[in-house]
Amino acid sequence: MRHSLSLAVTVATFLARFVASQPAPEELVPLFDALARGPSTVHANLAPRVPLSTNDDTVSPLVDLQVYAPPVLPQGGTKCTVQLLQHDFGDGSYNNPTIVPYKPPTEDACGAPGGWAAITLNMTVFSNGTQYDRLSSLYLSHVEIWRHSSAEPTKTGTVWSVKDVTRYSALFATSGDLLMDFSNIISSDLGLDGVFHVTLTGTFYAPTQGFGRPQTPDLILPITNLLPNQSNYFTVADDAGGSASVLVPRTAQQAFVEIYASGNSAEEFWYLNTPDEYLVYFPESTGLIGKGPFREVQVAVDDKLAGVVWPHAVIYTGGITPTNWRPLTAYGTYDQPTYFVDVTPFLPLLADGAVHNITLRVRGQGENPSINSNWFVSGSLHLWLGNTEISGSITKYEAPANPLPQTTGAVSADNATVRTLVVANRSIVIESVLHGDKGTRLVRFEQQLDYRNEQKYTDAGWVQWGVQTTKGTTTSTHGGEPVLRDAFTYPLSVFSNYTLYEAQFGGYGSAVNQSYLRVLDSPVLGRGARSIVSIQHAEGTVGMDDWPGLRHAINGTGATDQQFAFTTSSGQTYFRSIAAKNDAWVRDSVWGSLQDEEPPVPKEQIFPGGGPGFRRMVGPGIVRRAR
Ligand SMILES: *[C@@H]1O[C@H](CO)[C@@H](O)[C@H](O)[C@H]1NC(C)=O
Ligand SMILES: *[C@@H]1O[C@H](CO)[C@@H](O)[C@H](O)[C@H]1NC(C)=O
Ligand SMILES: *[C@@H]1O[C@H](CO)[C@@H](O)[C@H](O)[C@H]1NC(C)=O
Ligand SMILES: *[C@@H]1O[C@H](CO)[C@@H](O)[C@H](O)[C@H]1NC(C)=O
Ligand SMILES: *[C@@H]1O[C@H](CO)[C@@H](O)[C@H](O)[C@H]1NC(C)=O
Ligand SMILES: *[C@@H]1O[C@H](CO)[C@@H](O)[C@H](O)[C@H]1NC(C)=O
Ligand SMILES: *[C@@H]1O[C@H](CO)[C@@H](O)[C@H](O)[C@H]1NC(C)=O
Ligand SMILES: *[C@@H]1O[C@H](CO)[C@@H](O)[C@H](O)[C@H]1NC(C)=O
Ligand SMILES: *[C@@H]1O[C@H](CO)[C@@H](O)[C@H](O)[C@H]1NC(C)=O
């Protein structure tokens, strides 16, 4: 049965959860109100749906998308669009990124290099075949600028998405290398024939009277592995993490680290991993993974903790139940969110003229190491330069080296039913007195974080219900002025039922509720605060064929519903109410001032009853287990 969204209940629940430093209720009321009122015009169309699986070239591909906040762009000025990269990621593309030279565009319409009002990238991925979801990452001069995954295509499909990359202007202003990894495998044995045909364009916007160049960073340094021909993120499977050396100009006045981080392989579903103390109660065949569900990404300067990230869980298109995410993906799938730590308090050290280390680590709940294999993490150091050499010292440092998640639980006498609860909280305060361009001022960085994860297992682990909420605020002030505010709540609940997984013609099913509520005002992004509310409900099933031979997904159902609201402190808005069912779009309404930047899917693709569901002839499978 599909869940129907009860907005009133959702609003009340979220608002009740907010603690003092969270967004004030009145901040989010406009977002929820707009969703409750709905669009002024509703499109209904009964034209036949576009088939997901077809060899008919005359059929336009199914639109597949992740809902995102459209970029805020200057109107009425000039712009130019240039192709940055075109590549087919097929056979031999695994661990073999494509690398192309980049040069800033020189056409007048683009605006002067470095003086742009905005830069956006448009990535188009066409695939015609069968393929897993594959992770892609894009780097300019070794700085990661986009991490995204792919659709799980079966026959025709095109995905494109647009990303605001204005914050990387300093990188785009100079020549460099663009490196894109999209490790893909083509194998007739596995039935994987989907090549990813990628085209990446960049659009550069010249400043206008009312829309100038934002005060984005002057210099951006990579916190990556710097390899010339591989993915540049650190692949982290132990507690040491990845370190990069940075040489910071002595006149740096402000410094922020931006972080990309996602779990992969045994850490893809980290939020459902079982605390080690309780893993012993389950049969190994359930495939449950240990080291607990709590993860913290740490940023350290010369080994001293500078700040942490308690990340949003990004679910890929093959995640938990693949039929849930086609053609509407989970939030973050095609553009993973990033996080910011203000390391300005460390500038007297970082900008002393010597080389220093910035380390990115991931902490979990296991022992030596505390995580499974693996996490992909990268960062960039965003610097604003001035005229005076920065000096000063750290005057307050309250940042315990490690989080202390606490685990409790209960097990029934026959081990059939297990409950675990992991809670954690964290408070970090780092203050420095700095002497720089703006005289002497106090710089204060603060994080208040809270985490709760409850897992209930029945049927000896074949049925699992995980409910997690991560919430917190990260703030900084410079000379009393607010500089950074990141106030977020990431609730996630996943119910999965694998009771029939081992049976002939068995399968599995899941239901997922996931929200992303975040008010983010970061000087790296410029242009003031951005508020996002995304509420998703998904559920689906997958049927499998012959066991114990090769397991193939032969049929399935899936339905996903999403309410999305985006507002900016400059008054821009974007609202979307969208749903997909059984491989077809059933509803899509878009409204708000930015509605034309990312319009609804074409009316011809809306089929209110949903599609017939996923069916395939027996052949090599495209579906894998969730854990
Ligand atoms: C998709 O691939 C099939 C062969 O597998 C081919 O016949 C068809 O022309 C392709 N369609 C497009 C749009 O490329
Ligand atoms: C992105 O590129 C695709 C394919 O070329 C195009 O259809 C789409 O309109 C572009 N989107 C934007 C916002 O430019
Ligand atoms: C990748 O770069 C390393 C270091 O420059 C080099 O040794 C290696 O041969 C390169 N590999 C490929 C496949 O180009
Ligand atoms: C940076 O890390 C390297 C390797 O871990 C270490 O050898 C070096 O001493 C560190 N440098 C500083 C300034 O901490
Ligand atoms: C429950 O699991 C524990 C730990 O593996 C084991 O010692 C015990 O025998 C199990 N009990 C039953 C009834 O299977
Ligand atoms: C933070 O965690 C500690 C230890 O688990 C607990 O005693 C304390 O009550 C928690 N504080 C809050 C505000 O939840
Ligand atoms: C998702 O939310 C709906 C409505 O709020 C609720 O009925 C359902 O049990 C939730 N599902 C999960 C897996 O938490
Ligand atoms: C799990 O699925 C099985 C088979 O469809 C069903 O009998 C059982 O009731 C389900 N369990 C739960 C807790 O929904
Ligand atoms: C999937 O196929 C199996 C075996 O033919 C059948 O029992 C089941 O009802 C099918 N499920 C769906 C959702 O079509």
Side-chain angles (χ1 to χ4, degrees):
M1 289 294 109
R2 271 190 57 192
H3 301 302
S4 59
L5 177 75
S6 164
L7 201 57
V9 170
T10 316
V11 174
T13 311
F14 283 126
L15 294 185
R17 279 190 190 146
F18 288 136
V19 294
S21 50
Q22 284 279 294
E26 59 272 22
E27 284 181 275
L28 293 177
V29 159
L31 286 79
F32 285 115
D33 278 357
L35 288 175
R37 273 197 308 277
S40 45
T41 50
V42 176
H43 300 288
N45 191 287
L46 301 177
R49 83 182 190 97
V50 176
L52 182 71
S53 300
T54 179
N55 288 332
D56 180 354
D57 275 349
T58 63
V59 167
S60 64
L62 180 71
V63 173
D64 180 303
L65 62 87
Q66 178 216 301
V67 174
Y68 61 89
V72 177
L73 302 168
Q75 304 297 322
T78 64
K79 63 178 178 185
C80 70
T81 296
V82 292
Q83 183 172 301
L84 300 174
L85 180 154
Q86 186 162 40
H87 191 72
D88 297 339
F89 292 87
D91 198 18
S93 65
Y94 200 85
N95 282 344
N96 187 14
T98 186
I99 304 161
V100 297
Y102 165 82
K103 277 198 175 37
T106 49
E107 229 183 282
D108 278 351
C110 318
W116 301 297
I119 311 170
T120 59
L121 298 183
N122 182 348
M123 188 183 306
T124 305
V125 182
F126 170 76
S127 190
N128 174 17
T130 299
Q131 195 48 263
Y132 282 105
D133 53 345
R134 303 284 182 192
L135 187 68
S136 170
S137 50
L138 179 71
Y139 309 84
L140 180 56
S141 302
H142 301 292
V143 171
E144 187 166 2
I145 60 173
W146 197 342
R147 185 178 300 183
H148 75 105
S149 183
S150 65
E152 280 203 339
T154 56
K155 302 304 167 192
T156 63
T158 297
V159 178
W160 57 260
S161 45
V162 174
K163 177 174 170 127
D164 187 340
V165 290
T166 312
R167 61 184 179 278
Y168 305 114
S169 271
L171 292 174
F172 280 97
T174 54
S175 298
D177 276 339
L178 199 56
L179 183 153
M180 184 175 187
D181 178 54
F182 209 154
S183 288
N184 194 10
I185 293 175
I186 303 296
S187 157
S188 52
D189 289 351
L190 299 170
L192 300 175
D193 59 355
V195 172
F196 295 120
H197 307 274
V198 174
T199 305
L200 181 74
T201 61
T203 302
F204 297 81
Y205 295 81
T208 65
Q209 275 287 303
F211 200 104
R213 170 190 181 276
Q215 296 306 305
T216 49
D218 301 310
L219 178 66
I220 304 172
L221 302 176
I223 308 171
T224 58
N225 63 29
L226 303 181
L227 289 174
N229 51 19
Q230 293 295 310
S231 268
N232 280 177
Y233 48 56
F234 297 111
T235 298
V236 172
D238 62 24
D239 292 344
S243 292
S245 303
V246 292
L247 181 60
V248 175
R250 303 187 80 138
T251 57
Q253 305 294 313
Q254 179 170 280
F256 273 69
V257 174
E258 179 179 14
I259 300 114
Y260 287 80
S262 51
N264 179 61
S265 193
E267 292 282 297
E268 182 174 346
F269 307 103
W270 47 276
Y271 44 87
L272 297 177
N273 286 1
T274 306
D276 287 337
E277 306 89 298
Y278 292 90
L279 203 55
V280 293
Y281 296 103
F282 301 104
E284 238 176 70
S285 56
T286 55
L288 293 172
I289 293 172
K291 301 195 187 285
F294 174 81
R295 294 295 178 272
E296 171 175 286
V297 183
Q298 303 187 333
V299 180
V301 175
D302 288 350
D303 233 15
K304 193 166 180 168
L305 187 70
V308 301
V309 176
W310 287 11
H312 169 72
V314 173
I315 303 175
Y316 301 126
T317 55
I320 304 175
T321 302
T323 46
N324 282 348
W325 312 118
R326 36 200 280 174
L328 177 60
T329 76
Y331 184 73
T333 305
Y334 294 159
D335 183 11
Q336 296 195 9
T338 61
Y339 310 90
F340 300 93
V341 167
D342 187 354
V343 293
T344 310
F346 290 86
L347 271 183
L349 172 71
L350 276 171
D352 67 356
V355 167
H356 293 277
N357 281 351
I358 297 191
T359 303
L360 302 175
R361 292 187 290 243
V362 184
R363 286 279 186 266
Q365 288 185 267
E367 298 284 336
N368 305 321
S370 63
I371 57 169
N372 303 288
S373 182
N374 50 26
W375 275 71
F376 297 143
V377 293
S378 85
S380 47
L381 180 61
H382 295 260
L383 297 162
W384 287 259
L385 308 179
N387 302 313
T388 34
E389 292 189 0
I390 199 90
S391 63
S393 58
I394 292 182
T395 50
K396 182 184 252 183
Y397 183 83
E398 293 167 3
N402 286 304
L404 294 170
Q406 304 210 330
T407 303
T408 50
V411 183
S412 67
D414 60 356
N415 291 356
T417 303
V418 176
R419 174 179 173 272
T420 63
L421 177 66
V422 177
V423 294
N425 60 48
R426 224 199 208 286
S427 169
I428 290 175
V429 178
I430 301 172
E431 284 181 4
S432 279
V433 174
L434 298 188
H435 317 287
D437 279 3
K438 292 183 180 164
T440 296
R441 50 190 193 144
L442 179 76
V443 169
R444 179 184 166 89
F445 175 69
E446 178 169 359
Q447 298 193 280
Q448 299 293 341
L449 308 170
D450 194 62
Y451 172 91
R452 187 179 197 280
N453 181 297
E454 186 177 21
Q455 305 284 335
K456 289 184 209 155
Y457 306 83
T458 60
D459 197 15
W462 292 102
V463 174
Q464 182 178 359
W465 190 1
V467 179
Q468 172 172 297
T469 301
T470 310
K471 65 183 172 190
T473 52
T474 296
T475 53
S476 71
T477 56
H478 294 183
E481 296 287 314
V483 172
L484 170 71
R485 178 168 177 239
D486 185 350
F488 64 89
T489 305
Y490 307 140
L492 170 63
S493 50
V494 178
F495 171 81
S496 63
N497 186 342
Y498 283 81
T499 304
L500 297 182
Y501 187 70
E502 291 187 306
Q504 197 178 15
F505 296 112
Y508 57 91
S510 74
V512 179
N513 290 338
Q514 186 176 34
S515 295
Y516 177 93
L517 291 86
R518 192 174 183 195
V519 178
L520 176 62
D521 191 348
S522 166
V524 176
L525 301 173
R527 308 233 182 265
R530 309 152 48 83
S531 304
I532 289 178
V533 167
S534 167
I535 303 166
Q536 281 188 285
H537 299 270
E539 62 180 77
T541 61
V542 167
M544 316 278 277
D545 68 3
D546 57 332
W547 175 261
L550 274 174
R551 308 289 331 259
H552 305 131
I554 49 165
N555 59 24
T557 62
T560 304
D561 187 298
Q562 183 175 16
Q563 306 279 330
F564 183 86
F566 168 60
T567 62
T568 70
S569 53
S570 59
Q572 304 283 357
T573 59
Y574 183 80
F575 304 104
R576 194 158 187 174
S577 174
I578 187 167
K581 183 177 178 180
N582 294 341
D583 290 350
W585 293 104
V586 299
R587 185 185 84 235
D588 190 8
S589 302
V590 171
W591 68 106
S593 64
L594 296 171
Q595 61 182 7
D596 296 333
E597 300 296 339
E598 177 59 2
V601 299
K603 285 187 293 180
E604 301 71 38
Q605 301 218 349
I606 305 284
F607 187 70
F614 166 64
R615 299 272 181 284
R616 80 195 301 255
M617 304 306 288
V618 171
I622 58 154
V623 170
R624 63 191 160 150
R625 264 203 83 181
R627 49 190 190 190

